[in-house]
Structure formats: structure tokens, C-alpha cells
């Protein structure tokens, strides 16, 4: 279906593609005055160089590998590697930014070859036919979508900044380098922190499931905490003999000894559940604030200690015997509570921003579906949708 006033255009008739070059000899990881030009691979920036092989605005298409078919608009001088295709010429009747949005919706990855190394070549791209509006309408649509892109980009930067600030705050607060105000005295907390071992503040348990009730089965996934198996995996993968599974209750902790170094450790927030006997489960002693300890688990030093105390080189195994030896600095319960409240507030701010980002992306996706198909038209003269 071609909307009224639009034309069915064959890409080979409106653009020509070329392949990039090998990586520049002076490829650097970081931007600098001596290496100001971004080097693009099939998906994104892979480094910086003093050299450039493109000075015009171009459409970049991943040519080979996992990201073949990924499309993006580049509007600055750069170096393009041979992992990507780029537009050498584009018809004057085509707005490049609009076309990028159109190609993203079409998804060029569907054109990749069927065997061996994933690859998208020029020939099948040239054969693609797309319904396109007149240039003025393309430009208006591109401008509308660009507004959403800017809002998304701004929110992504705010999230990155907030996460970095939270990381810095954790480094200061969870080591005692920065002391918060004691609300009772109006002055900073004082007193030396205890240098303890995890084994001194936790209790390992292995409460086997003896209930005949159909208790919900959970797993601990990387950086996502406890998840309900029937929702996360679309089914419960527990064995029929659930008596081997461990019971977990609200506030309990569990981790996968083979994947703790990649974030497979979490606190259970719920009434009751069961989890595979392969997980290490433990409770906190009364002297430890649960949220304080939960925040401590994700510090860079703690993650480093997972590997330092664990066994193995490729995959790290950290059993409770090794986990219990990790050092943790513990202030008074009052100071733990204060630190936990500050870090929790930072988490909530990040969660709100991430929720806003997801909402913006969903709204843009819905808008693209309408504008790029002609279901919703724009008034070229008034910049209004009708």
C-alpha cells in the first residue's frame, strides 16, 4: 500500500553504496586533540584517529558480523572501516535522516546471508523498494523524529551521569571516606567502623522444601535479581522433586557460585519461594542493615573480591567458604540506615529516569509506525500532524 502522494522507490535508483577501509594505523581508544575523528565499525564508535575518510553526512550500514544491517546517520567527519557500508551518493530528492528512520523500520538485517559469517551486501539493499513521501514531507517527519531523538539522548546522558554520581557516592559512603550528618546530633557521624568478614555477619542456610503446597519457583539472574521462573523463562524449569529446593523468605540472600562475578546475587523481596539447591543462600545477622549490605554487594571492591577469593580463571566459582572471608567495613546501625537511605534515593532517581527513557522510546516507536507508513500525515507548511 502506497499512501496518496507517495512513490514506491527502489533504493538502487536513489543511492550508491561503498565499503569503508581497514582500520587506521593510529587507532586510539579515547578522544584527544591529536585523534579527534571517530572510527566507526559495523555498529558504533570503536575508537578515534587523526585520520578521516569521510567528511560528508552519510548513512552507515553494518556490513559484516553481529551488527550487519544496523543503520545510523553520521553527520561529521570520521573514519569508516570495512565492517560497514556507507552512502557515497544520495539523490537530492531524499532526506538522509528520514531515510535512516525508514531503513531502521525496514530492518536491513533481514537481508543478511543465510550461512557462514553474517553479511549484508550492496545488491540486496539496492533491490529494496520503499514507499517514500515527497522531500518536504520527509524533512518534516525527520525533524519531528529528531526532536524525540534529542529527548532520548538527553535522558540517556542524565542516566549515565546519575549512575556515575551514584558510583562515586558508594565509593565514599561505603568506605567511610565521607560521613553523613547524624540527625540526632546535627553533626557528622563519628566512631571507628568495624572491619569484619562476611562470615561474621551472615548465616548460611539450607532450608529444604517440605511443603506439599505449590510454592512458586525462583531463579537469580545476572543483574536482575530474583525472577519468577514461569514469567522469566515462560515456564518453570524446576525438577519434579521440589523437596531438594531451598525455601527463601523476605530479606534472604542467594547467589549462583558460578556466576556471582557477573551479578548473579540478589535479595529476596516476597513472602516465600523456593530456589534450586545449587544456589548459596544466607541471612543477615541483626547488626546489619539489609539495604546497606545490598548496596555494598555491588561496589567495585566487592566485585573484585569475588574474583580474588574465587576459584578458576575463565569461570569464577565462589563458594560460601570463600565468600565468608571477604572483608566488609561496618558502621553503627544508625549510620548504616542513613547511608542506605541516601543510596536508595539515588537508585529511585535512576529508576525514574530509566522509566522515562523507556516511555520516550515507546512513544517514538509508535510515532514512527504512524509517520513512516503514512497512516498519520504532516502538514508541511504548519508543521502539524493531522
Amino acid at each position: 500500500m502506497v499512501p496518496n502522494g507517495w512513490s514506491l522507490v527502489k533504493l538502487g535508483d536513489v543511492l550508491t553504496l561503498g565499503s569503508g577501509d581497514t582500520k587506521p594505523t593510529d587507532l586510539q581508544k579515547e578522544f584527544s586533540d591529536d585523534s579527534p575523528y571517530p572510527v566507526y565499525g559495523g555498529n558504533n564508535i570503536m575508537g578515534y584517529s587523526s585520520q578521516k575518510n569521510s567528511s560528508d553526512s552519510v548513512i552507515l550500514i553494518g556490513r559484516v558480523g553481529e551488527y550487519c544491517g544496523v543503520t545510523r546517520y553520521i553527520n561529521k567527519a570520521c573514519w569508516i572501516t570495512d565492517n560497514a557500508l556507507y552512502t557515497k551518493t544520495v539523490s537530492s530528492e531524499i532526506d538522509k535522516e528520514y531515510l535512516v528512520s525508514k531503513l531502521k523500520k525496514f530492518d536491513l538485517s533481514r537481508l543478511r546471508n543465510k550461512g557462514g559469517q553474517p553479511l549484508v551486501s550492496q545488491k540486496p539493499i539496492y533491490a529494496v523498494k520503499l514507499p517514500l513521501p515527497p522531500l518536504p514531507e520527509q524533512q518534516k517527519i525527520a525533524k519531528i523524529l529528531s526532536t524525540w531523538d534529542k529527548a532520548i539522548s538527553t535522558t540517556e546522558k542524565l542516566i549515565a551521569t546519575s549512575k556515575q554520581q551514584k558510583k562515586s557516592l558508594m565509593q565514599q559512603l561505603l568506605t567511610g571516606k565521607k560521613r553523613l550528618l547524624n540527625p540526632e546530633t546535627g553533626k557528622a557521624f563519628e566512631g571507628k567502623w568495624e572491619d569484619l568478614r562476611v562470615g561474621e555477619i551472615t548465616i548460611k542456610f539450607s532450608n529444604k522444601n517440605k511443603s506439599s503446597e505449590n510454592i512458586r519457583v525462583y531463579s537469580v539472574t545476572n543483574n536482575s535479581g530474583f525472577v519468577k521462573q514461569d514469567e522469566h523463562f515462560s515456564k518453570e524449569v524446576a525438577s519434579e522433586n521440589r523437596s531438594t529446593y531451598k525455601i527463601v523468605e523476605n530479606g534472604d540472600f542467594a547467589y549462583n557460585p558460578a556466576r556471582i562475578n557477573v551479578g548473579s546475587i540478589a535479595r529476596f523481596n516476597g513472602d516465600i519461594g523456593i530456589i534450586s539447591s545449587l544456589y548459596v543462600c544466607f541471612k543477615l545477622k541483626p547488626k546489619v542493615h539489609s539495604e546497606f549490605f545490598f548496596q555494598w554487594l555491588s561496589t567495585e571492591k566487592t566485585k573484585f573480591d569475588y574474583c580474588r577469593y574465587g576459584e578458576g580463571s575463565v569461570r569464577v566459582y565462589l563458594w560460601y567458604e570463600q565468600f565468608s572471608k571477604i572483608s566488609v567495613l561496618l558502621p553503627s546501625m544508625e549510620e548504616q540506615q542513613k547511608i542506605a537511605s541516601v543510596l536508595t534515593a539515588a537508585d529511585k532517581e535512576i529508576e525514574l529516569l530509566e522509566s522515562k527513557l523507556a516511555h520516550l522510546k515507546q512513544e517514538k516507536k509508535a510515532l514512527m509506525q504512524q509517520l513512516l507508513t503514512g497512516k498519520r500525515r504532516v502538514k508541511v507548511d504548519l508543521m502539524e500532524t493531522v
Side-chain angles (χ1 to χ4, degrees):
M1 296 293 293
V2 180
N4 184 37
W6 289 29
S7 302
L8 189 62
V9 175
K10 186 178 179 182
L11 290 182
D13 294 336
V14 295
L15 59 80
T16 59
L17 297 171
S19 180
D21 302 313
T22 56
K23 297 176 186 178
T25 55
D26 63 344
L27 180 65
Q28 305 292 325
K29 288 185 178 181
E30 304 293 336
F31 170 88
S32 69
D33 291 338
D34 294 329
S35 299
Y37 301 115
V39 178
Y40 286 92
N43 178 45
N44 212 330
I45 295 174
M46 58 190 302
Y48 296 85
S49 172
S50 64
Q51 306 173 65
K52 59 181 178 179
N53 60 4
S54 174
S55 298
D56 299 324
S57 61
V58 297
I59 297 173
L60 193 73
I61 301 169
R63 185 182 70 85
V64 64
E66 179 184 357
Y67 299 106
C68 68
V70 171
T71 309
R72 60 188 300 123
Y73 177 66
I74 311 295
N75 191 25
K76 54 188 173 184
C78 65
W79 184 280
I80 302 170
T81 73
D82 53 6
N83 281 339
L85 298 170
Y86 69 97
T87 50
K88 298 177 71 174
T89 63
V90 177
S91 168
S92 60
E93 294 301 310
I94 301 295
D95 182 87
K96 293 178 185 177
E97 290 187 74
Y98 172 86
L99 184 56
V100 166
S101 296
K102 195 79 174 179
L103 293 177
K104 284 181 178 179
K105 186 179 182 305
F106 177 83
D107 186 11
L108 291 175
S109 66
R110 68 169 78 175
L111 302 178
R112 65 174 60 184
N113 63 329
K114 303 301 181 182
Q117 173 86 321
L119 176 73
V120 170
S121 59
Q122 298 176 22
K123 186 176 180 179
I125 295 176
Y126 285 154
V128 171
K129 294 181 179 179
L130 297 174
L132 301 180
L135 180 60
E137 191 171 350
Q138 293 179 41
Q139 292 169 333
K140 292 297 183 182
I141 292 173
K143 191 171 184 179
I144 292 171
L145 295 179
S146 176
T147 301
W148 288 89
D149 286 335
K150 288 176 182 176
I152 289 170
S153 177
T154 298
T155 306
E156 288 175 335
K157 289 176 182 177
L158 286 173
I159 291 172
T161 299
S162 296
K163 286 184 175 180
Q164 187 58 43
Q165 290 174 342
K166 160 86 187 299
K167 185 178 179 180
S168 176
L169 203 55
M170 290 173 67
Q171 172 63 25
Q172 293 178 311
L173 295 181
L174 295 173
T175 59
K177 291 179 180 178
K178 180 177 181 179
R179 307 293 287 268
L180 297 172
L181 288 179
N182 186 335
E184 294 184 2
T185 65
K187 298 179 181 179
F189 280 99
E190 297 178 340
K192 188 177 181 180
W193 289 22
E194 291 185 85
D195 188 356
L196 302 171
R197 298 292 179 270
V198 168
E200 297 178 85
I201 60 174
T202 64
I203 302 171
K204 181 186 176 185
F205 69 86
S206 182
N207 300 329
K208 297 297 178 62
N209 176 37
K210 297 179 181 179
S211 173
S212 59
E213 297 180 15
N214 189 24
I215 302 175
R216 204 154 196 175
V217 183
Y218 288 81
S219 292
V220 178
T221 56
N222 300 349
N223 301 312
S224 297
F226 277 89
V227 295
K228 299 169 184 176
Q229 281 194 356
D230 57 349
E231 293 180 2
H232 190 77
F233 301 108
S234 300
K235 64 178 181 178
E236 287 192 353
V237 295
S239 65
E240 294 183 1
N241 185 12
R242 297 190 175 198
S243 63
T244 63
Y245 280 64
K246 299 175 182 178
I247 293 177
V248 286
E249 299 175 315
N250 190 50
D252 290 344
F253 288 79
Y255 72 84
N256 183 338
R259 300 195 64 79
I260 187 173
N261 63 309
V262 290
S264 185
I265 183 167
R267 177 180 53 184
F268 187 68
N269 296 311
D271 295 328
I272 191 170
I274 59 174
I275 192 169
S276 169
S277 59
L278 296 176
Y279 290 97
V280 174
C281 301
F282 62 89
K283 299 177 182 289
L284 295 177
K285 291 184 178 180
K287 68 185 299 182
V288 189
H289 190 276
S290 180
E291 183 62 28
F292 175 90
F293 185 80
F294 182 70
Q295 295 285 347
W296 172 82
L297 286 172
S298 60
T299 63
E300 292 302 314
K301 183 183 181 305
T302 305
K303 292 177 181 178
F304 173 77
D305 283 341
Y306 293 157
C307 298
R308 186 161 71 98
Y309 285 89
E311 302 172 356
S313 55
V314 178
R315 173 171 288 190
V316 175
Y317 289 84
L318 186 75
W319 307 106
Y320 183 77
E321 181 181 359
Q322 289 84 34
F323 180 62
S324 65
K325 296 176 182 178
I326 295 176
S327 173
V328 53
L329 291 172
L330 204 66
S332 66
M333 178 58 79
E334 292 75 21
E335 192 169 359
Q336 289 180 53
Q337 291 173 331
K338 187 65 176 178
I339 291 171
S341 67
V342 170
L343 296 179
T344 299
D347 283 335
K348 288 181 179 178
E349 180 184 344
I350 293 170
E351 288 173 9
L352 286 173
L353 287 171
E354 289 178 332
S355 177
K356 178 183 178 181
L357 178 62
H359 185 66
L360 286 170
K361 287 183 175 180
Q362 187 59 39
E363 286 189 331
K364 185 199 169 188
K365 183 179 179 181
L367 192 60
M368 287 176 66
Q369 175 61 27
Q370 293 179 312
L371 295 180
L372 297 176
T373 59
K375 292 179 180 178
R376 186 176 183 181
R377 304 295 291 272
V378 297
K379 287 184 177 180
V380 173
D381 53 338
L382 298 178
M383 184 52 186
E384 294 178 350
T385 56
V386 294

